[in-house]
Amino acid sequence: QVQLVESGGGLVQPGGSLRLSCVASGSTFSIHAMGWYRQALGKQRELVARISSGGLTIYTDSVKGRFTIFRDNAKNTVYLQMNSLKPEDTAVYYCYADRSPLGYWGQGTQVTVSS
């Protein structure tokens, strides 16, 4: 089992920044990759960014150049630095741990971008 706890969400004005954190605990030794997903109201959950155990990253097109995913393996923590936030970034953000064949989700943290 893997437990994921997110933090760092909140209300921010357009153009602002937030940093999300996700701490993993439990059986973390065989996590292959971690990622951030988001789900806006009335929409499907989508991948935002993903980072492999070796540090390879992928991003959805809409956040490239604005968001950065990175991890601290010693702390079992993955971060999502979000800059130049836009109203369309408003969503619940979920941390995900890939421990194939199993996957684990955090409880989600709300990010609201509004003036």
Side-chain angles (χ1 to χ4, degrees):
Q1 287 280 0
V2 174
Q3 294 78 43
L4 303 172
V5 178
E6 303 111 328
S7 61
L11 173 64
V12 63
Q13 292 186 342
S17 298
L18 283 175
R19 177 179 290 185
L20 306 182
S21 300
C22 173
V23 180
S25 61
S27 300
T28 61
F29 56 92
S30 57
I31 292 177
H32 306 304
M34 296 187 73
W36 289 95
Y37 287 71
R38 65 186 179 187
Q39 187 166 18
L41 197 61
K43 296 187 176 180
Q44 289 188 331
R45 192 172 298 189
E46 64 170 354
L47 174 67
V48 177
R50 181 180 185 272
I51 184 167
S52 72
S53 57
L56 296 176
T57 58
I58 59 171
Y59 298 90
T60 192
D61 285 346
S62 63
V63 308
K64 286 180 180 177
R66 300 189 297 122
F67 291 11
T68 303
I69 187 170
F70 57 101
R71 64 194 292 176
D72 184 334
N73 290 329
K75 296 182 178 180
N76 290 321
T77 301
V78 63
Y79 303 91
L80 185 68
Q81 178 66 42
M82 305 185 293
N83 298 328
S84 302
L85 283 160
K86 303 176 181 180
E88 51 264 43
D89 296 317
T90 296
V92 178
Y93 284 69
Y94 296 91
C95 180
Y96 178 77
D98 177 2
R99 190 172 170 260
S100 294
L102 300 177
Y104 299 89
W105 294 95
Q107 80 285 356
T109 185
Q110 177 71 45
V111 172
T112 302
V113 185
S114 175
S115 55

